[in-house]
Amino acid sequence: MFGLQGIIALIVCVAPPLVIVAILIWASRRPKCPNCHDAVSPDDVACPKCGYFLTPRQGR
């Protein structure tokens, strides 16, 4: 049914939209600063943009 050209054409047509969707999902799941809503790294202690303290404070 499909030759090698058909398989390559299918990969070329399907791969770019899948990559775009994967990037959008990854970007939407990144943690955000509750103060300025800028994306932050999960390891950050404070937001690099506004300086908001991200980790819960101990001893409250």
Side-chain angles (χ1 to χ4, degrees):
M1 181 176 178
F2 280 110
L4 183 59
Q5 288 179 337
I7 293 171
I8 292 172
L10 184 65
I11 291 171
V12 168
C13 290
V14 173
L18 288 178
V19 169
I20 292 171
V21 167
I23 290 171
L24 290 173
I25 290 172
W26 173 79
S28 69
R29 294 186 184 263
R30 289 187 67 191
K32 296 187 184 336
C33 172
N35 188 39
C36 68
H37 304 289
D38 193 38
V40 294
S41 172
D43 299 331
D44 283 344
V45 175
C47 176
K49 183 176 179 183
C50 69
Y52 185 79
F53 191 66
L54 298 171
T55 57
R57 295 179 188 224
Q58 300 296 326
R60 278 189 168 181

